[in-house]
Coordinates of all heavy atoms in Angstrom, one line a residue:
M226 N 143.8 58.7 181.9 CA 144.0 59.8 182.8 C 143.4 59.4 184.2 O 142.3 58.9 184.2 CB 143.4 61.0 182.2 CG 144.3 62.1 182.1 SD 143.5 63.5 181.3 CE 144.3 63.2 179.7
D227 N 144.1 59.7 185.3 CA 143.6 59.4 186.6 C 143.8 60.5 187.6 O 144.8 61.2 187.5 CB 144.5 58.1 187.0 CG 143.9 57.5 188.3 OD1 143.4 58.2 189.1 OD2 144.0 56.2 188.4
A228 N 142.8 60.8 188.4 CA 142.9 61.8 189.4 C 142.3 61.2 190.7 O 141.1 61.2 190.9 CB 142.1 63.0 189.0
G229 N 143.2 60.5 191.5 CA 142.7 59.9 192.7 C 141.8 58.7 192.4 O 142.2 57.8 191.7
N230 N 140.6 58.8 192.8 CA 139.6 57.7 192.5 C 138.9 57.9 191.1 O 138.1 57.1 190.8 CB 138.6 57.7 193.6 CG 139.1 57.3 194.9 OD1 140.2 56.5 195.0 ND2 138.6 57.7 196.0
F231 N 139.2 59.0 190.4 CA 138.5 59.2 189.2 C 139.4 59.1 188.0 O 140.6 59.4 188.1 CB 138.0 60.7 189.2 CG 137.0 60.9 190.3 CD1 137.4 61.4 191.6 CD2 135.6 60.6 190.1 CE1 136.4 61.5 192.6 CE2 134.7 60.7 191.1 CZ 135.1 61.2 192.4
M232 N 138.9 58.5 186.9 CA 139.7 58.4 185.7 C 138.7 58.4 184.5 O 137.5 58.0 184.6 CB 140.5 57.1 185.7 CG 139.7 55.8 185.7 SD 140.9 54.4 185.9 CE 140.0 53.2 185.0
I233 N 139.2 58.8 183.4 CA 138.5 58.8 182.1 C 138.6 57.4 181.5 O 139.8 56.9 181.3 CB 139.1 59.8 181.1 CG1 139.1 61.2 181.8 CG2 138.3 59.8 179.8 CD1 138.1 62.2 181.5
I234 N 137.5 56.7 181.3 CA 137.6 55.3 180.8 C 137.3 55.3 179.3 O 137.7 54.3 178.7 CB 136.7 54.4 181.5 CG1 135.2 54.8 181.5 CG2 137.1 54.2 183.0 CD1 134.2 53.8 181.9
A235 N 136.7 56.3 178.7 CA 136.4 56.3 177.3 C 135.9 57.7 176.9 O 135.6 58.5 177.6 CB 135.2 55.3 177.1
H236 N 136.0 57.9 175.6 CA 135.5 59.1 174.9 C 134.4 58.6 174.0 O 134.6 57.6 173.2 CB 136.5 59.8 174.2 CG 137.5 60.5 175.1 ND1 138.6 60.0 175.5 CD2 137.4 61.8 175.7 CE1 139.3 60.8 176.3 NE2 138.5 61.9 176.4
A237 N 133.2 59.3 173.9 CA 132.2 59.0 172.9 C 131.9 60.3 172.1 O 132.0 61.4 172.7 CB 130.9 58.6 173.6
K238 N 131.7 60.2 170.8 CA 131.4 61.3 170.0 C 130.1 61.2 169.3 O 129.8 60.1 168.8 CB 132.6 61.5 169.0 CG 132.4 62.7 168.1 CD 133.6 63.0 167.3 CE 133.2 64.2 166.5 NZ 134.3 64.9 166.0
N239 N 129.3 62.3 169.3 CA 128.1 62.2 168.6 C 128.3 62.8 167.2 O 128.5 64.0 167.1 CB 127.0 63.1 169.4 CG 125.7 63.0 168.8 OD1 125.4 62.3 167.8 ND2 124.7 63.7 169.4
N240 N 128.3 61.9 166.3 CA 128.5 62.3 164.9 C 127.4 63.2 164.4 O 126.2 62.8 164.5 CB 128.8 61.2 164.0 CG 130.0 60.4 164.4 OD1 131.0 61.0 164.7 ND2 129.9 59.0 164.4
S241 N 127.6 64.3 163.9 CA 126.6 65.2 163.4 C 126.1 64.7 162.0 O 126.8 64.0 161.3 CB 127.1 66.6 163.2 OG 128.1 66.7 162.3
Q242 N 124.9 65.0 161.7 CA 124.3 64.6 160.4 C 124.6 65.6 159.3 O 124.9 66.7 159.6 CB 122.8 64.4 160.6 CG 122.1 65.8 160.8 CD 120.6 65.7 161.0 OE1 120.1 64.6 161.3 NE2 119.9 66.7 160.7
G243 N 124.6 65.1 158.1 CA 124.7 66.0 157.0 C 123.5 66.9 156.8 O 122.5 66.6 157.5
S244 N 123.5 67.8 155.9 CA 122.3 68.6 155.7 C 121.2 67.8 155.1 O 121.4 66.8 154.3 CB 122.6 69.8 154.9 OG 123.0 69.4 153.6
N245 N 120.0 68.1 155.4 CA 118.8 67.4 154.9 C 117.8 68.4 154.6 O 117.4 69.2 155.5 CB 118.3 66.3 155.9 CG 117.4 65.4 155.2 OD1 116.6 65.7 154.4 ND2 117.5 64.1 155.6
S246 N 117.2 68.4 153.4 CA 116.2 69.5 153.0 C 114.8 69.1 153.6 O 114.0 70.0 153.7 CB 116.1 69.5 151.5 OG 115.7 68.2 151.0
N247 N 114.6 67.9 154.1 CA 113.3 67.5 154.7 C 113.4 67.6 156.2 O 114.2 66.9 156.8 CB 112.9 66.1 154.3 CG 111.6 65.6 154.8 OD1 111.4 65.7 156.0 ND2 110.8 65.1 154.0
E248 N 112.7 68.5 156.8 CA 112.7 68.7 158.3 C 112.4 67.5 159.1 O 113.1 67.1 160.0 CB 111.8 69.9 158.7 CG 112.0 70.3 160.1 CD 111.2 71.5 160.5 OE1 110.6 72.2 159.6 OE2 111.1 71.7 161.7
N249 N 111.4 66.7 158.7 CA 111.0 65.5 159.4 C 112.1 64.5 159.3 O 112.5 63.9 160.3 CB 109.7 65.0 158.8 CG 109.2 63.9 159.7 OD1 109.2 63.9 160.9 ND2 108.6 62.9 159.0
A250 N 112.7 64.3 158.2 CA 113.8 63.3 158.0 C 115.0 63.8 158.8 O 115.7 63.0 159.4 CB 114.2 63.1 156.5
S251 N 115.2 65.1 158.8 CA 116.4 65.6 159.6 C 116.2 65.4 161.1 O 117.1 64.9 161.8 CB 116.5 67.1 159.3 OG 117.5 67.7 160.0
N252 N 115.0 65.6 161.6 CA 114.7 65.4 163.0 C 114.8 63.9 163.3 O 115.4 63.6 164.4 CB 113.3 65.9 163.4 CG 113.2 67.4 163.4 OD1 114.2 68.1 163.6 ND2 112.0 67.9 163.3
N253 N 114.4 63.0 162.5 CA 114.5 61.6 162.8 C 115.9 61.1 162.8 O 116.3 60.3 163.6 CB 113.7 60.8 161.7 CG 112.2 60.9 162.0 OD1 111.7 61.1 163.1 ND2 111.4 60.7 160.9
S254 N 116.7 61.6 161.8 CA 118.1 61.3 161.7 C 118.8 61.8 163.0 O 119.7 61.1 163.6 CB 118.7 62.0 160.5 OG 120.1 61.7 160.4
E255 N 118.5 63.0 163.5 CA 119.2 63.6 164.7 C 118.8 62.7 165.9 O 119.7 62.4 166.7 CB 118.6 65.0 164.9 CG 119.3 65.6 166.1 CD 118.8 67.1 166.2 OE1 118.7 67.8 165.2 OE2 118.6 67.5 167.4
K256 N 117.6 62.2 166.1 CA 117.2 61.4 167.2 C 117.9 60.1 167.1 O 118.3 59.5 168.1 CB 115.6 61.2 167.2 CG 114.9 62.4 167.6 CD 113.4 62.2 167.6 CE 112.7 63.5 167.9 NZ 111.2 63.3 168.0
T257 N 118.0 59.5 165.9 CA 118.7 58.2 165.8 C 120.2 58.3 166.1 O 120.7 57.5 166.9 CB 118.6 57.7 164.3 OG1 117.2 57.5 164.0 CG2 119.3 56.4 164.1
L258 N 120.8 59.4 165.7 CA 122.2 59.6 166.1 C 122.4 59.8 167.6 O 123.3 59.3 168.2 CB 122.8 60.8 165.3 CG 123.0 60.6 163.8 CD1 123.4 61.9 163.1 CD2 124.1 59.5 163.6
Q259 N 121.4 60.6 168.2 CA 121.5 60.8 169.6 C 121.3 59.5 170.4 O 122.1 59.2 171.3 CB 120.5 61.8 170.0 CG 120.5 62.2 171.5 CD 119.4 63.2 171.9 OE1 118.3 62.8 171.7 NE2 119.8 64.3 172.4
Q260 N 120.4 58.7 170.0 CA 120.2 57.4 170.7 C 121.4 56.5 170.5 O 121.8 55.8 171.5 CB 118.9 56.6 170.1 CG 117.6 57.3 170.5 CD 117.3 57.2 171.9 OE1 117.4 56.2 172.5 NE2 117.1 58.4 172.5
K261 N 122.0 56.5 169.4 CA 123.2 55.7 169.2 C 124.3 56.3 170.1 O 125.1 55.5 170.7 CB 123.7 55.8 167.7 CG 124.9 55.0 167.4 CD 125.2 55.1 165.9 CE 126.5 54.3 165.6 NZ 126.9 54.5 164.2
F262 N 124.4 57.6 170.2 CA 125.4 58.2 171.1 C 125.2 57.8 172.5 O 126.1 57.4 173.3 CB 125.4 59.7 170.8 CG 126.3 60.5 171.7 CD1 127.6 60.3 171.7 CD2 125.8 61.5 172.5 CE1 128.5 61.1 172.5 CE2 126.6 62.3 173.4 CZ 128.0 62.1 173.3
F263 N 124.0 57.9 173.0 CA 123.6 57.5 174.4 C 123.9 56.1 174.6 O 124.4 55.7 175.7 CB 122.2 57.9 174.7 CG 121.9 59.4 174.7 CD1 120.6 59.9 174.8 CD2 122.9 60.4 174.8 CE1 120.3 61.2 174.9 CE2 122.7 61.7 174.9 CZ 121.4 62.1 174.9
K264 N 123.6 55.2 173.7 CA 123.8 53.8 173.8 C 125.3 53.5 174.0 O 125.8 52.6 174.7 CB 123.3 53.0 172.7 CG 121.7 52.9 172.8 CD 121.2 52.1 171.6 CE 119.7 52.1 171.7 NZ 119.1 51.3 170.6
E265 N 126.1 54.2 173.2 CA 127.6 54.1 173.3 C 128.1 54.5 174.7 O 128.9 53.8 175.3 CB 128.3 54.9 172.2 CG 129.8 54.8 172.3 CD 130.5 55.6 171.3 OE1 129.9 56.2 170.4 OE2 131.8 55.7 171.3
I266 N 127.6 55.6 175.2 CA 127.9 56.0 176.6 C 127.5 54.9 177.5 O 128.3 54.5 178.4 CB 127.3 57.3 176.9 CG1 127.9 58.4 176.1 CG2 127.6 57.6 178.4 CD1 127.1 59.7 176.2
G267 N 126.3 54.4 177.4 CA 125.8 53.4 178.3 C 126.6 52.1 178.3 O 126.7 51.4 179.3
S268 N 127.3 51.8 177.2 CA 128.1 50.6 177.1 C 129.3 50.6 178.0 O 129.8 49.6 178.3 CB 128.5 50.4 175.6 OG 129.6 51.3 175.3
H269 N 129.6 51.8 178.5 CA 130.7 52.0 179.4 C 130.3 52.0 180.9 O 131.1 52.2 181.8 CB 131.5 53.2 179.1 CG 132.1 53.2 177.7 ND1 133.2 52.4 177.3 CD2 131.7 53.9 176.6 CE1 133.4 52.6 176.0 NE2 132.6 53.5 175.5
M270 N 129.0 51.8 181.1 CA 128.5 52.1 182.4 C 127.9 50.8 183.0 O 126.8 50.7 183.5 CB 127.3 53.1 182.4 CG 127.8 54.5 181.9 SD 126.5 55.7 181.7 CE 125.2 55.3 182.7
Q271 N 128.7 49.7 183.0 CA 128.2 48.5 183.6 C 128.1 48.5 185.1 O 129.0 49.0 185.8 CB 129.2 47.3 183.2 CG 129.4 47.2 181.7 CD 128.1 47.0 180.9 OE1 127.3 46.2 181.3 NE2 127.9 47.7 179.8
N272 N 126.9 48.0 185.6 CA 126.6 48.0 187.0 C 126.7 49.3 187.7 O 127.1 49.4 188.9 CB 127.6 46.9 187.7 CG 127.5 45.6 187.1 OD1 126.4 45.1 186.8 ND2 128.6 45.0 186.8
V273 N 126.4 50.4 187.1 CA 126.4 51.7 187.7 C 125.2 51.9 188.5 O 124.1 51.4 188.2 CB 126.5 52.8 186.6 CG1 125.3 52.9 185.8 CG2 126.8 54.1 187.2
E274 N 125.4 52.5 189.7 CA 124.2 52.8 190.6 C 123.9 54.2 190.7 O 122.8 54.6 191.0 CB 124.6 52.3 192.0 CG 124.8 50.7 192.0 CD 125.2 50.2 193.4 OE1 125.3 51.1 194.3 OE2 125.4 49.0 193.5
E275 N 124.9 55.1 190.4 CA 124.7 56.5 190.4 C 125.6 57.1 189.4 O 126.7 56.7 189.0 CB 125.2 57.0 191.8 CG 124.9 58.5 192.0 CD 125.2 59.0 193.4 OE1 125.3 58.2 194.3 OE2 125.3 60.2 193.6
I276 N 125.0 58.2 188.7 CA 125.7 58.9 187.7 C 125.6 60.4 187.9 O 124.5 60.9 188.4 CB 125.2 58.5 186.3 CG1 126.0 59.2 185.2 CG2 123.7 58.8 186.1 CD1 125.8 58.7 183.8
Y277 N 126.7 61.1 187.6 CA 126.6 62.6 187.7 C 126.8 63.0 186.2 O 127.9 62.8 185.6 CB 127.8 63.0 188.6 CG 127.8 64.5 188.8 CD1 126.9 65.1 189.7 CD2 128.7 65.3 188.0 CE1 126.9 66.5 189.8 CE2 128.7 66.7 188.2 CZ 127.8 67.3 189.1 OH 127.8 68.6 189.3
V278 N 125.8 63.7 185.7 CA 125.8 64.2 184.3 C 126.1 65.7 184.3 O 125.5 66.5 185.0 CB 124.5 63.9 183.6 CG1 124.5 64.4 182.2 CG2 124.1 62.4 183.7
T279 N 127.1 66.1 183.5 CA 127.4 67.5 183.3 C 127.5 67.8 181.9 O 127.9 67.0 181.1 CB 128.7 67.9 184.1 OG1 128.9 69.3 184.0 CG2 129.9 67.2 183.6
G280 N 127.1 69.0 181.5 CA 127.1 69.4 180.1 C 126.0 70.4 179.9 O 125.5 71.1 180.8
T281 N 125.6 70.6 178.7 CA 124.5 71.6 178.3 C 123.2 71.0 178.9 O 123.0 69.8 178.9 CB 124.4 71.8 176.8 OG1 124.1 70.6 176.2 CG2 125.7 72.3 176.3
G282 N 122.3 71.9 179.3 CA 121.0 71.5 179.9 C 120.2 70.6 179.1 O 119.7 69.6 179.6
K283 N 120.0 70.9 177.8 CA 119.1 70.1 177.0 C 119.7 68.7 176.8 O 118.9 67.7 177.0 CB 119.0 70.8 175.6 CG 118.1 70.0 174.6 CD 118.0 70.8 173.3 CE 117.2 69.9 172.3 NZ 117.2 70.5 171.0
E284 N 120.9 68.6 176.5 CA 121.5 67.2 176.4 C 121.5 66.4 177.7 O 121.3 65.2 177.6 CB 122.9 67.3 175.8 CG 123.1 67.9 174.5 CD 122.4 67.0 173.4 OE1 122.6 65.7 173.5 OE2 121.8 67.5 172.5
Q285 N 121.7 67.1 178.8 CA 121.7 66.4 180.1 C 120.2 65.8 180.3 O 120.1 64.7 180.7 CB 121.9 67.4 181.2 CG 123.3 67.8 181.5 CD 123.2 68.8 182.7 OE1 122.8 68.4 183.7 NE2 123.6 70.1 182.4
E286 N 119.2 66.6 180.1 CA 117.9 66.2 180.3 C 117.5 65.0 179.4 O 116.9 64.0 179.8 CB 116.9 67.3 180.0 CG 117.0 68.4 181.0 CD 116.2 69.7 180.6 OE1 115.4 69.6 179.6 OE2 116.4 70.7 181.3
Q287 N 118.0 65.1 178.1 CA 117.7 64.0 177.2 C 118.4 62.7 177.6 O 117.9 61.6 177.5 CB 118.0 64.4 175.8 CG 117.0 65.5 175.3 CD 117.5 66.1 174.0 OE1 118.6 66.0 173.6 NE2 116.5 66.8 173.3
F288 N 119.6 62.8 178.0 CA 120.4 61.6 178.5 C 119.8 61.0 179.7 O 119.7 59.8 179.8 CB 121.9 62.0 178.7 CG 122.7 60.8 179.0 CD1 122.9 59.7 178.1 CD2 123.4 60.7 180.3 CE1 123.6 58.6 178.5 CE2 124.1 59.6 180.6 CZ 124.3 58.6 179.7
I289 N 119.4 61.9 180.7 CA 118.8 61.3 181.9 C 117.5 60.6 181.6 O 117.1 59.6 182.1 CB 118.6 62.5 182.9 CG1 120.1 62.8 183.5 CG2 117.8 62.0 184.1 CD1 120.1 64.1 184.4
R290 N 116.7 61.2 180.6 CA 115.5 60.6 180.2 C 115.8 59.2 179.5 O 115.1 58.2 179.8 CB 114.7 61.5 179.2 CG 113.3 60.9 178.9 CD 112.4 61.8 177.9 NE 112.5 63.2 178.2 CZ 113.0 64.1 177.3 NH1 113.4 63.7 176.1 NH2 113.0 65.4 177.6
F291 N 116.8 59.2 178.7 CA 117.2 58.0 178.0 C 117.5 56.9 179.1 O 117.1 55.7 179.0 CB 118.4 58.2 177.2 CG 119.2 56.9 176.8 CD1 118.7 56.2 175.8 CD2 120.3 56.5 177.5 CE1 119.5 55.0 175.4 CE2 121.0 55.4 177.2 CZ 120.5 54.6 176.1
L292 N 118.3 57.3 180.2 CA 118.6 56.4 181.3 C 117.3 55.8 181.9 O 117.2 54.6 182.2 CB 119.5 57.0 182.3 CG 120.9 57.4 181.8 CD1 121.6 58.2 183.0 CD2 121.7 56.2 181.4
S293 N 116.4 56.7 182.2 CA 115.2 56.3 182.9 C 114.3 55.4 182.1 O 113.5 54.7 182.6 CB 114.4 57.5 183.4 OG 113.8 58.2 182.3
E294 N 114.4 55.5 180.8 CA 113.6 54.7 179.9 C 114.3 53.4 179.4 O 113.7 52.6 178.7 CB 113.2 55.5 178.6 CG 112.3 56.7 178.9 CD 112.1 57.6 177.8 OE1 112.8 57.5 176.7 OE2 111.3 58.5 177.9
T295 N 115.5 53.2 179.9 CA 116.3 52.0 179.5 C 116.3 51.0 180.7 O 116.8 51.4 181.8 CB 117.7 52.4 179.1 OG1 117.7 53.4 178.1 CG2 118.6 51.2 178.7
P296 N 115.8 49.8 180.6 CA 115.7 48.9 181.7 C 116.9 48.7 182.5 O 116.9 48.7 183.8 CB 115.3 47.6 181.1 CG 114.5 48.0 179.8 CD 115.2 49.2 179.4
Q297 N 118.1 48.7 181.9 CA 119.3 48.5 182.6 C 119.6 49.6 183.5 O 120.3 49.5 184.5 CB 120.4 48.3 181.6 CG 121.9 48.2 182.2 CD 122.9 48.1 181.1 OE1 122.6 48.1 179.9 NE2 124.2 48.1 181.5
F298 N 119.1 50.8 183.2 CA 119.5 52.0 184.0 C 118.4 52.7 184.7 O 118.5 53.7 185.3 CB 120.1 53.1 183.0 CG 121.4 52.6 182.3 CD1 121.3 52.5 180.9 CD2 122.5 52.2 183.0 CE1 122.5 52.0 180.2 CE2 123.6 51.8 182.3 CZ 123.6 51.7 180.9
K299 N 117.1 52.1 184.7 CA 116.0 52.8 185.2 C 116.1 53.1 186.7 O 115.5 54.0 187.2 CB 114.7 52.0 184.9 CG 114.6 50.7 185.6 CD 113.3 50.0 185.3 CE 113.2 48.7 186.1 NZ 112.0 48.0 185.8
N300 N 116.9 52.4 187.4 CA 117.0 52.6 188.9 C 118.3 53.4 189.3 O 118.6 53.5 190.4 CB 117.1 51.2 189.7 CG 115.7 50.6 189.5 OD1 114.6 51.2 189.6 ND2 115.7 49.3 189.4
V301 N 119.0 53.8 188.3 CA 120.2 54.6 188.5 C 119.9 56.0 189.0 O 119.0 56.6 188.5 CB 121.1 54.8 187.2 CG1 122.2 55.7 187.3 CG2 121.6 53.4 186.7
V302 N 120.5 56.4 190.1 CA 120.4 57.8 190.6 C 121.2 58.8 189.7 O 122.4 58.6 189.6 CB 120.8 57.8 192.1 CG1 120.7 59.3 192.6 CG2 120.0 56.9 192.9
A303 N 120.5 59.7 189.1 CA 121.2 60.7 188.3 C 121.2 62.0 188.9 O 120.1 62.5 189.4 CB 120.5 60.7 186.9
K304 N 122.4 62.6 189.0 CA 122.5 64.0 189.5 C 123.1 64.8 188.3 O 123.8 64.2 187.4 CB 123.4 64.1 190.7 CG 122.8 63.3 191.8 CD 123.7 63.4 193.1 CE 123.0 62.6 194.2 NZ 123.8 62.6 195.4
E305 N 122.9 66.1 188.3 CA 123.3 66.9 187.1 C 123.8 68.3 187.5 O 123.4 68.8 188.5 CB 122.2 66.9 186.1 CG 121.0 67.6 186.7 CD 119.8 67.7 185.7 OE1 119.9 68.4 184.6 OE2 118.8 66.9 185.9
S306 N 124.5 68.9 186.6 CA 124.8 70.3 186.6 C 125.2 70.7 185.3 O 125.6 69.9 184.4 CB 126.1 70.5 187.6 OG 127.3 70.0 186.9
T307 N 125.0 72.0 185.0 CA 125.2 72.6 183.7 C 126.7 73.1 183.7 O 127.2 73.7 184.6 CB 124.3 73.6 183.3 OG1 122.9 73.1 183.4 CG2 124.5 74.2 182.0
S308 N 127.4 72.8 182.6 CA 128.7 73.3 182.5 C 129.1 73.4 181.0 O 128.5 72.8 180.1 CB 129.7 72.3 183.1 OG 129.8 71.1 182.5
N309 N 130.2 74.1 180.7 CA 130.7 74.2 179.4 C 131.6 73.1 179.1 O 132.0 72.4 180.1 CB 131.5 75.5 179.2 CG 130.6 76.8 179.3 OD1 129.4 76.7 178.8 ND2 131.0 77.8 180.0
K310 N 132.0 72.9 177.9 CA 132.9 71.8 177.6 C 134.3 72.0 178.3 O 134.8 73.2 178.4 CB 133.2 71.8 176.0 CG 134.1 70.7 175.6 CD 134.2 70.6 174.1 CE 135.1 69.4 173.8 NZ 135.0 68.9 172.5
M311 N 134.8 70.9 178.8 CA 136.1 71.0 179.6 C 137.1 70.0 179.0 O 136.7 69.0 178.4 CB 135.8 70.5 181.0 CG 134.9 71.3 181.8 SD 134.7 70.6 183.5 CE 133.0 70.7 183.7
S312 N 138.4 70.3 179.3 CA 139.4 69.4 178.9 C 139.3 68.2 179.8 O 138.7 68.2 180.9 CB 140.8 70.0 179.0 OG 141.1 70.3 180.4
D313 N 139.9 67.1 179.5 CA 139.9 65.9 180.4 C 140.5 66.2 181.8 O 139.9 65.8 182.8 CB 140.7 64.7 179.8 CG 140.1 64.1 178.5 OD1 138.9 64.4 178.3 OD2 140.7 63.3 177.9
E314 N 141.5 67.0 181.8 CA 142.1 67.4 183.1 C 141.2 68.2 183.9 O 141.0 68.0 185.1 CB 143.5 68.2 182.8 CG 144.6 67.4 182.2 CD 144.4 67.3 180.7 OE1 143.6 68.0 180.1 OE2 145.2 66.5 180.1
K315 N 140.5 69.1 183.3 CA 139.5 70.0 184.1 C 138.3 69.1 184.5 O 137.8 69.4 185.6 CB 139.1 71.2 183.2 CG 140.1 72.2 183.0 CD 140.4 73.0 184.2 CE 141.4 74.1 184.0 NZ 141.9 74.7 185.2
L316 N 137.9 68.2 183.7 CA 136.8 67.4 184.1 C 137.2 66.5 185.3 O 136.4 66.4 186.3 CB 136.4 66.5 182.9 CG 135.2 65.5 183.2 CD1 133.9 66.2 183.6 CD2 135.0 64.5 182.1
L317 N 138.4 66.0 185.3 CA 138.8 65.2 186.5 C 138.9 66.0 187.7 O 138.5 65.6 188.8 CB 140.1 64.5 186.2 CG 140.1 63.3 185.2 CD1 141.5 62.9 184.8 CD2 139.3 62.1 185.8
E318 N 139.4 67.3 187.6 CA 139.4 68.2 188.7 C 138.1 68.5 189.2 O 137.8 68.6 190.4 CB 140.1 69.5 188.3 CG 141.6 69.4 188.1 CD 142.2 70.7 187.6 OE1 141.6 71.8 187.7 OE2 143.3 70.7 187.0
Y319 N 137.1 68.7 188.3 CA 135.7 69.1 188.7 C 135.1 67.9 189.3 O 134.4 68.1 190.4 CB 135.0 69.4 187.3 CG 133.6 69.8 187.5 CD1 133.2 71.1 187.7 CD2 132.5 68.9 187.4 CE1 131.9 71.6 187.9 CE2 131.2 69.3 187.6 CZ 130.9 70.7 187.8 OH 129.6 71.0 187.9
M320 N 135.2 66.7 188.9 CA 134.6 65.5 189.6 C 135.2 65.3 190.9 O 134.5 65.0 191.9 CB 134.8 64.3 188.7 CG 133.9 64.3 187.5 SD 132.2 64.2 187.9 CE 131.6 65.6 187.0
S321 N 136.6 65.5 191.0 CA 137.3 65.2 192.3 C 136.7 66.3 193.3 O 136.5 65.9 194.5 CB 138.8 65.4 192.2 OG 139.3 64.3 191.4
A322 N 136.6 67.5 192.9 CA 136.1 68.6 193.8 C 134.7 68.3 194.2 O 134.3 68.5 195.4 CB 136.3 69.9 193.2
Y323 N 133.9 67.9 193.3 CA 132.4 67.6 193.6 C 132.2 66.5 194.6 O 131.5 66.6 195.5 CB 131.7 67.3 192.3 CG 130.2 67.0 192.5 CD1 129.3 68.1 192.7 CD2 129.7 65.7 192.7 CE1 128.0 67.8 193.0 CE2 128.4 65.4 192.9 CZ 127.5 66.5 193.1 OH 126.2 66.2 193.3
F324 N 133.0 65.4 194.4 CA 132.8 64.2 195.2 C 133.7 64.2 196.5 O 133.5 63.3 197.3 CB 133.0 62.9 194.4 CG 131.8 62.7 193.5 CD1 132.0 63.0 192.1 CD2 130.7 62.1 193.9 CE1 130.9 62.7 191.3 CE2 129.6 61.9 193.1 CZ 129.8 62.2 191.7
N325 N 134.6 65.0 196.7 CA 135.4 65.0 197.8 C 135.2 66.2 198.7 O 134.5 67.0 198.7 CB 136.9 65.0 197.4 CG 137.3 63.6 196.8 OD1 136.8 62.6 197.3 ND2 138.0 63.7 195.7

């Protein structure tokens, strides 16, 4: 999908964990899945200098922290805004409006 200078290059999905009766094991499993998800997103960000992160506040903060703690991304300028889930078309419209 393409909108001027913007296009969707990949989709990443954070697979949810199954139920776990042990809260500590559940938290560790959730963190592991989140790190895997963030690494998958990072694999599509070669030579990035600036990133605009949109989504729920908590996830944005955690992803931006992940970037700052990852040597490859520690100098990336991160900007953010909170938004609800959007279709690909709406996301492209949103990004085009923000950057133009």
Side-chain angles (χ1 to χ4, degrees):
M226 233 173 261
D227 192 326
N230 294 329
F231 298 93
M232 64 184 211
I233 307 254
I234 59 169
H236 288 93
K238 182 172 177 158
N239 188 2
N240 296 318
S241 63
Q242 66 181 24
S244 63
N245 195 322
S246 59
N247 181 312
E248 185 177 347
N249 189 36
S251 179
N252 288 339
N253 287 337
S254 177
E255 183 179 321
K256 286 180 184 180
T257 299
L258 287 171
Q259 184 182 58
Q260 289 296 305
K261 183 177 177 185
F262 177 58
F263 290 167
K264 286 179 183 179
E265 181 181 349
I266 294 169
S268 72
H269 300 288
M270 297 172 31
Q271 303 305 313
N272 302 316
V273 68
E274 296 174 4
E275 184 174 343
I276 183 169
Y277 184 81
V278 180
T279 186
T281 62
K283 180 180 175 185
E284 292 296 321
Q285 282 179 64
E286 292 169 10
Q287 291 171 341
F288 183 63
I289 291 170
R290 185 177 322 118
F291 164 81
L292 293 174
S293 71
E294 295 171 351
T295 304
Q297 177 184 357
F298 303 116
K299 69 179 181 181
N300 295 320
V301 170
V302 175
K304 297 181 181 177
E305 62 184 289
S306 73
T307 302
S308 69
N309 294 322
K310 185 174 178 158
M311 298 179 224
S312 67
D313 289 350
E314 293 82 10
K315 289 288 183 193
L316 178 62
L317 288 170
E318 288 175 20
Y319 183 87
M320 288 293 125
S321 293
Y323 178 83
F324 285 102
N325 292 318

